[in-house]
């Protein structure tokens, strides 16, 4: 039942809440402008409802609330957030917005409005939209920040969406928006987006970890209280004004740790971090942080390998903090983060807080601005298609950093795994193009040398040196990659023109006309995908023009058709695996399609799956938590098909089980008995490695479905000496 009066009251309550948070920074006319934007948005969306059934206006109001409360943006952003969907969904146009609210708001909304129209084959609408949005970065970074607020609210209200939409939106979020929030220093938003992604793609794991966190809450609270008591007393004695926050790590980061270190939830030693926030003037910040560090380590022994100093060398997204991991009296490791009020606000609110402090004169140009300038260069100099561009852009989002120096001692920050060649391009494009090698700490190293923190690098150049394909295998920065690709594209174009001239000359000699049919025969004979490739191969000598003979054009050949024949290998695998149309129910009207099981994640009946339309009219079945799922759903959302298992026959699917435990005589025999006898499972392979009384093993087995696999895992877990048993991809 819809109650218009209750809805009207709720809309006004949300609007007033926005004004309450905005009040501290409102100037002369600001409240009037916000009210005007609110009224415009209410009117534009008055007959629209969200999938959940609530009035559509709730969404722009929530986005504006996130922008002001959680990101710390100002009036222009509130207005843009309230109006961000009106151009896309209603009769209003950008020109109307500009006339009513000025060019600043109009520019932000234009950046947020999706592209409509036709796309080239091989590009992705999401990628094109994202590229357009990023192009506005050179004008206004608020476009990205409001887009993040919009995406956060969409993720918080994903419950009302159909399953396939949930998967697509969650994967797109993980692929692009979480890394972007990380890069812009919005840690709280990044963590929430990651957790929500997990909630919708791997619900069981999400619930399992959140239940474990909830169950340990009381014990954790008591532990933190005891741990902090002496520190609080000592900080107060030294005259510090401070606040302390203690919270568990995000669910997603806990899962990442479990997978990366191959440990259980109970084994994670720094499950929660304690944050000490000091209230001190800007000029005393560094000294105060180190003094607090000294107080903490007087009480608790620090782990020397776990000290991270981002106070003296902040991360490139502006993050500043001092991290140490110390041993508590009860034998547990605890991560302690020491920072000031200003540092904490920048850590929570990233770019928006950075601007606030810059206006107050507390911060000079930060590494964050330098990164945004790099993105601008990348956008202006990038000629790749949208998907290629997205890939390049992502590589620069989620990376650790390496700090190196020029011969004159200037600090250069590069992504982790950067090489001497990346360093050369960072100094100057021309130095990169002619880079011959480098001297690192006075020693000669190759271009592919991977830089380490503290390296001092001198680049050696030669005018004869030119980029080649191999260079792309060891550069990691987008600047280096895009410049090398640009050069290789131009080089290929130039070579292709030479190859075309050589081919035309040869065809003239043979008196063969340049028709489409003859071109097709040539492509089929030399098995090359395009004319450009043929020209290039002729120019580089991979194809000798003397081998182009009359017989190619006169002999009856069926090579043209054979090249287009689909591979029969997948169908053979289908037969062997027994995957047929009776087993998979895909979409609504696709029961006649060919299916194949994706090799990257080996789904089995019982797993949550989705279908992906490949280019050859087949459907590839992936698990929803497959490592490739995020990328496929983000870039090719239109090719995702709903898929689920229906009652299957007694067929066998390959699954991997990893076991760990303490070694003893007869252990392998006990395990194989359970596998072969009690559950009638066929085993394909078993490898067990024992070292110092501890064993680790991988077993590949054929099972019917996830229930069958779970029963097997439970029984194996009861074998004497076995500590952990888990499925792996």
């Amino acid at each position: 039942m819809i109650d218009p009066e209750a809805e009207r009251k709720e809309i006004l309550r949300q609007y007033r809440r926005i004004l309450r948070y905005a009040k501290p920074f409102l100037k002369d006319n600001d409240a009037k402008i916000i009210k005007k934007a609110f009224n415009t948005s209410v009117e534009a969306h008055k007959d629209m409802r969200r999938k959940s059934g609530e009035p559509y206006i709730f969404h722009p109001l929530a986005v504006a609330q996130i922008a002001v409360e959680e990101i710390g943006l100002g009036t222009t952003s509130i207005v843009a957030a309230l109006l961000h969907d009106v151009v896309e969904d209603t009769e209003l146009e950008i020109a109307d917005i500009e006339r009513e609210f000025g060019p600043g708001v109009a520019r932000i909304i234009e950046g947020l409005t999706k592209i409509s129209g036709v796309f080239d084959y091989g590009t992705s609408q999401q990628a094109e939209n994202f590229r357009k949005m990023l192009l506005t970065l050179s004008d206004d970074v608020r476009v990205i920040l409001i887009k993040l607020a919009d995406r956060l609210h969409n993720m918080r209200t994903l419950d009302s969406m159909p399953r396939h939409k949930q998967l697509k939106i969650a994967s797109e979020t993980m692929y692009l928006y979480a890394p972007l929030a990380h890069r812009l220093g919005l840690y709280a938003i990044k963590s929430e987006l990651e957790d929500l992604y997990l909630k919708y793609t791997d619900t069981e794991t999400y619930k399992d970890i959140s239940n474990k966190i909830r169950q340990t809450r009381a014990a954790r609270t008591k532990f933190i209280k005891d741990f902090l008591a002496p520190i609080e007393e000592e900080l107060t004695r030294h005259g510090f004004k401070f606040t302390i926050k203690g919270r568990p790590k995000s669910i997603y980061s806990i899962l990442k740790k479990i997978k990366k270190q191959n440990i259980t939830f109970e084994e994670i030693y720094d499950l929660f971090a304690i944050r000490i926030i000091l209230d001190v003037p800007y000029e005393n910040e560094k000294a105060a942080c180190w003094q607090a560090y000294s107080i903490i380590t007087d009480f608790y022994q620090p782990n020397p390998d776990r000290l991270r100093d981002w106070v003296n060398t902040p991360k490139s997204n502006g993050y500043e903090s001092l991290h140490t991991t110390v041993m508590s009296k009860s034998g547990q490791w605890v991560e302690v983060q020491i920072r000031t009020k200003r540092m904490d606000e920048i850590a929570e609110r990233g770019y928006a807080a950075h601007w606030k402090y810059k206006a107050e004169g507390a911060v000079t140009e930060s590494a964050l601005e330098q990164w945004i300038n790099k993105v601008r260069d990348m956008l202006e100099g990038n000629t790749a298609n949208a998907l290629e561009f997205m890939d390049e852009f992502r590589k620069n989002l989620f990376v650790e950093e390496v700090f190196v120096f020029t011969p004159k001692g200037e600090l250069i920050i590069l992504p982790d795994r950067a090489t001497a060649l990346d360093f050369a391009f960072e100094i100057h494009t021309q130095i990169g193009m002619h880079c011959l090698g480098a001297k690192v700490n006075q020693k000669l190293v190759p271009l592919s040398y991977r830089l380490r923190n503290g390296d001092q690098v001198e680049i050696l150049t030669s005018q004869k040196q030119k980029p080649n394909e191999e260079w792309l295998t060891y550069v990691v920065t987008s600047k280096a990659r895009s410049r090398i690709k640009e050069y290789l594209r131009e080089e290929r174009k130039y070579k292709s023109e030479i190859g075309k001239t050589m081919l035309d000359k040869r065809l003239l000699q043979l008196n063969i006309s340049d028709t489409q049919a003859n071109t097709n025969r040539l492509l089929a004979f030399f098995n090359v995908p395009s004319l450009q490739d043929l020209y290039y191969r002729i120019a580089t000598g991979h194809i000798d023009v003397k081998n182009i003979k009359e017989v190619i054009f006169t002999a009856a050949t069926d090579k043209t058709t054979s090249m287009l024949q689909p591979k029969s290998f997948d169908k053979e695998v289908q037969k062997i695996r027994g995957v047929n149309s009776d087993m998979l129910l895909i979409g609504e009207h696709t029961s006649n399609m060919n299916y194949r099981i994706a090799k990257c994640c080996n789904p089995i009946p019982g797993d949550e799956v989705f279908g992906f339309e490949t280019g050859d009219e087949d459907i590839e079945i992936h698990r929803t938590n497959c490592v490739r799922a995020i990328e496929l759903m983000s870039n090719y959302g239109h090719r995702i098909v709903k898929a689920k298992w229906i009652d299957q026959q007694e067929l066998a699917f390959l699954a991997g089980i990893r076991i760990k435990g303490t070694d003893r005589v007869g252990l392998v025999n006990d395990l194989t008995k359970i596998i072969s006898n009690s559950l009638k499972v066929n085993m394909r392979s078993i490898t067990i490695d024992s070292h110092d009384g501890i064993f680790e093993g991988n077993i590949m087995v054929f099972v019917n479905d996830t229930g069958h696999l779970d029963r097997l895992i439970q029984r194996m877990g009861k074998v004497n000496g076995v500590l952990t048993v888990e499925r792996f991809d």
Side-chain angles (χ1 to χ4, degrees):
M1 289 291 288
I2 292 168
D3 181 348
E5 186 54 29
E7 283 182 352
R8 194 184 69 80
K9 282 182 179 167
E10 179 57 24
I11 291 166
L12 281 173
R13 192 189 67 77
Q14 290 186 24
Y15 166 64
R16 288 187 187 121
R17 186 168 172 230
I18 292 168
L19 286 179
R20 199 163 59 249
Y21 275 91
K23 200 177 179 183
F25 56 75
L26 290 181
K27 296 192 189 76
D28 322 330
N29 233 5
D30 286 359
K32 276 186 187 166
I33 296 165
I34 293 171
K35 188 177 183 182
K36 187 178 174 186
F38 167 67
N39 289 332
T40 306
S41 189
V42 168
E43 182 58 29
H45 295 301
K46 68 173 183 246
D47 299 322
M48 295 168 66
R49 292 196 169 263
R50 300 192 81 208
K51 279 272 193 294
S52 59
E54 66 189 20
Y56 193 86
I57 186 67
F58 281 12
H59 172 64
L61 282 166
V63 174
Q65 185 65 41
I66 292 168
V68 66
E69 182 186 346
E70 297 180 49
I71 304 178
L73 295 172
T75 303
T76 306
S77 302
I78 294 170
V79 170
L82 287 168
L83 298 168
H84 79 274
D85 276 336
V86 295
V87 173
E88 196 179 322
D89 296 340
T90 74
E91 299 298 307
L92 284 174
E93 292 179 5
I94 290 289
D96 303 322
I97 301 291
E98 187 165 353
R99 191 176 58 251
E100 294 293 325
F101 298 97
V105 172
R107 197 166 50 237
I108 293 173
I109 289 170
E110 191 173 15
L112 290 162
T113 304
K114 291 183 183 131
I115 301 172
S116 54
V118 184
F119 295 91
D120 299 337
Y121 176 75
T123 69
S124 148
Q125 186 159 346
Q126 287 102 316
E128 290 286 0
N129 289 337
F130 195 74
R131 186 185 201 164
K132 182 191 180 198
M133 189 176 69
L134 279 176
L135 284 165
T136 58
L137 195 88
S138 48
D139 299 323
D140 204 326
V141 76
R142 287 174 294 191
V143 174
I144 306 289
L145 297 172
I146 295 167
K147 185 67 193 174
L148 282 168
D150 176 44
R151 179 50 59 123
L152 179 59
H153 186 247
N154 284 336
M155 286 296 286
R156 283 173 178 173
T157 54
L158 210 52
D159 270 333
S160 54
M161 296 300 263
R163 181 74 185 133
H164 67 288
K165 277 272 180 71
Q166 286 179 346
L167 291 174
K168 180 186 163 298
I169 292 167
S171 296
E172 195 181 286
T173 300
M174 194 62 190
Y175 186 71
L176 266 176
Y177 295 103
L180 194 55
H182 168 85
R183 207 62 172 90
L184 290 169
L186 299 160
Y187 280 107
I189 288 178
K190 169 222 163 194
S191 297
E192 190 177 345
L193 289 175
E194 287 175 339
D195 282 359
L196 287 166
Y197 157 77
L198 193 62
K199 181 182 174 183
Y200 289 103
T201 55
D202 194 350
T203 314
E204 246 175 74
T205 307
Y206 175 85
K207 281 182 181 165
D208 182 46
I209 295 175
S210 54
N211 284 340
K212 283 177 177 168
I213 291 173
R214 207 164 35 249
Q215 284 157 14
T216 57
R217 186 173 291 150
R220 199 168 55 241
T221 309
K222 184 184 182 311
F223 172 83
I224 290 173
K225 197 177 163 200
D226 295 346
F227 176 87
L228 287 173
I231 297 172
E232 287 176 335
E233 197 179 312
E234 196 64 10
L235 285 170
T236 308
R237 203 170 65 78
H238 280 79
F240 279 113
K241 279 203 282 181
F242 62 91
T243 51
I244 294 181
K245 297 179 190 171
R247 63 174 182 201
K249 285 189 175 339
S250 74
I251 295 172
Y252 182 80
S253 66
I254 289 170
L255 178 65
K256 210 164 133 193
K257 207 158 222 182
I258 288 171
K259 283 185 172 174
K260 191 180 174 187
Q261 297 177 8
N262 209 359
I263 53 178
T264 63
F265 177 87
E266 289 69 29
E267 289 173 283
I268 297 177
Y269 63 77
D270 51 354
L271 190 60
F272 44 87
I274 285 168
R275 191 172 296 160
I276 295 172
I277 300 155
L278 307 169
D279 190 355
V280 292
Y282 178 67
E283 56 278 8
N284 299 347
E285 286 189 340
K286 285 182 189 176
C289 287
W290 283 106
Q291 194 182 346
Y293 171 79
S294 172
I295 288 169
I296 292 157
T297 52
D298 280 348
F299 292 103
Y300 303 108
Q301 189 64 38
N303 180 339
D305 296 333
R306 303 276 300 171
L307 176 64
R308 301 282 181 271
D309 175 10
W310 287 303
V311 169
N312 287 302
T313 47
K315 287 186 180 184
S316 60
N317 59 11
Y319 181 84
E320 294 171 75
S321 193
L322 194 57
H323 291 200
T324 180
T325 302
V326 298
M327 178 61 79
S328 69
K329 299 285 186 259
S330 60
Q332 275 175 287
W333 288 107
V334 181
E335 186 186 314
V336 183
Q337 301 170 358
I338 305 157
R339 56 176 77 156
T340 64
K341 212 170 162 188
R342 178 191 67 83
M343 293 174 188
D344 189 56
E345 201 170 336
I346 287 176
E348 292 294 316
R349 291 179 162 186
Y351 201 79
H354 156 82
W355 273 106
K356 172 187 153 185
Y357 285 104
K358 190 176 181 189
E360 290 170 9
V363 187
T364 54
E365 186 188 57
S366 74
L368 188 55
E369 281 171 283
Q370 289 165 16
W371 175 75
I372 284 174
N373 290 334
K374 272 186 199 170
V375 172
R376 285 174 189 154
D377 292 346
M378 183 182 159
L379 287 160
E380 283 153 21
N382 197 291
T383 53
N385 71 35
L387 283 173
E388 228 177 277
F389 166 79
M390 285 256 291
D391 198 41
E392 286 295 333
F393 182 75
R394 278 189 80 250
K395 280 177 184 160
N396 284 273
L397 287 177
F398 244 158
V399 288
E400 294 301 317
E401 284 139 356
V402 61
F403 299 88
V404 291
F405 297 90
T406 66
K408 289 183 178 171
E410 188 190 336
L411 174 68
I412 304 284
I413 303 174
L414 288 166
D416 188 28
R417 306 172 78 83
T419 58
L421 187 55
D422 286 302
F423 180 90
F425 274 99
E426 191 63 28
I427 301 300
H428 196 281
T429 299
Q430 285 310 310
I431 290 175
M433 290 295 203
H434 300 294
C435 177
L436 198 59
K439 277 186 176 176
V440 173
N441 308 329
Q442 317 301 312
K443 287 181 185 165
L444 208 57
V445 297
L447 298 180
S448 58
Y449 171 84
R450 200 176 279 171
L451 300 169
R452 297 184 183 92
N453 276 329
D455 280 348
Q456 192 163 22
V457 189
E458 182 187 345
I459 297 297
L460 310 172
T461 59
S462 160
Q463 284 308 307
K464 290 178 184 173
Q465 177 73 307
K466 286 177 185 158
N468 59 56
E469 292 275 352
E470 197 192 345
W471 282 19
L472 289 171
T473 61
Y474 45 73
V475 290
V476 298
T477 57
S478 59
K479 182 180 180 181
R481 291 182 75 81
S482 61
R483 298 295 184 271
I484 295 165
K485 279 182 180 175
E486 214 173 287
Y487 174 83
L488 293 174
R489 257 197 297 273
E490 288 303 313
E491 183 74 358
R492 197 176 179 90
K493 207 167 148 190
Y494 170 68
K495 290 262 172 72
S496 295
E497 282 163 14
I498 295 170
K500 185 180 186 315
T501 310
M502 290 167 74
L503 178 63
D504 290 346
K505 222 184 247 181
R506 180 64 177 165
L507 292 177
L508 205 63
Q509 284 171 0
L510 297 172
N511 202 18
I512 301 289
S513 56
D514 185 9
T515 64
Q516 187 61 49
N518 285 337
T519 301
N520 287 346
R521 286 188 178 113
L522 266 176
L523 295 178
F525 184 81
F526 289 108
N527 200 17
V528 286
S530 70
L531 256 178
Q532 289 300 318
D533 275 295
L534 184 69
Y535 297 152
Y536 182 73
R537 290 183 195 197
I538 290 169
T540 52
H542 287 91
I543 293 175
D544 190 341
V545 280
K546 288 176 187 164
N547 290 336
I548 300 174
K549 297 173 182 169
E550 281 182 42
V551 69
I552 296 171
F553 307 98
T554 54
T557 174
D558 63 348
K559 277 209 170 191
T560 46
T561 54
S562 71
M563 278 181 67
L564 304 171
Q565 284 286 322
K567 291 177 185 171
S568 57
F569 176 72
D570 287 328
K571 285 169 188 159
E572 285 304 309
V573 172
Q574 250 174 258
K575 270 189 229 163
I576 297 161
R577 277 271 182 78
V579 179
N580 55 44
S581 55
D582 298 328
M583 289 195 58
L584 280 160
L585 188 70
I586 304 226
E588 273 82 50
H589 313 289
T590 50
S591 55
N592 299 327
M593 285 185 139
N594 289 324
Y595 313 115
R596 64 171 178 258
I597 296 295
K599 297 223 170 52
C600 44
C601 57
N602 268 339
I604 66 175
D607 282 333
E608 261 205 84
V609 289
F610 68 92
F612 176 70
E613 290 176 8
T614 62
D616 52 9
E617 293 187 9
D618 273 8
I619 285 197
E620 199 170 53
I621 305 302
H622 292 262
R623 279 160 63 185
T624 54
N625 58 359
C626 164
V627 284
R628 287 193 60 220
I630 295 174
E631 186 187 347
L632 294 177
M633 291 189 206
S634 301
N635 287 332
Y636 307 100
H638 59 291
R639 285 158 69 179
I640 299 299
V641 181
K642 276 195 267 186
K644 70 172 183 182
W645 301 96
I646 53 174
D647 293 339
Q648 81 285 357
Q649 307 146 20
E650 288 298 306
L651 292 170
F653 293 82
L654 194 62
I657 296 175
R658 183 175 288 124
I659 51 171
K660 268 187 188 177
T662 52
D663 202 3
R664 62 176 173 78
V665 176
L667 180 94
V668 175
N669 188 32
D670 289 350
L671 288 170
T672 50
K673 260 188 199 162
I674 283 177
I675 294 167
S676 309
N677 300 348
S678 67
L679 280 168
K680 303 286 185 286
V681 173
N682 283 329
M683 185 162 52
R684 190 172 88 169
S685 66
I686 178 166
T687 54
I688 289 194
D689 186 26
S690 177
H691 187 66
D692 293 341
I694 299 292
F695 80 87
E696 263 188 59
N698 288 343
I699 305 172
M700 303 300 288
V701 291
F702 287 102
V703 293
N704 305 135
D705 54 28
T706 46
H708 196 187
L709 180 63
D710 289 343
R711 287 198 300 279
L712 179 59
I713 286 174
Q714 276 172 9
R715 295 230 185 140
M716 289 170 75
K718 290 175 183 167
V719 170
N720 183 20
V722 172
L723 297 176
T724 60
V725 188
E726 59 185 4
R727 177 183 178 183
F728 70 90
D729 296 338

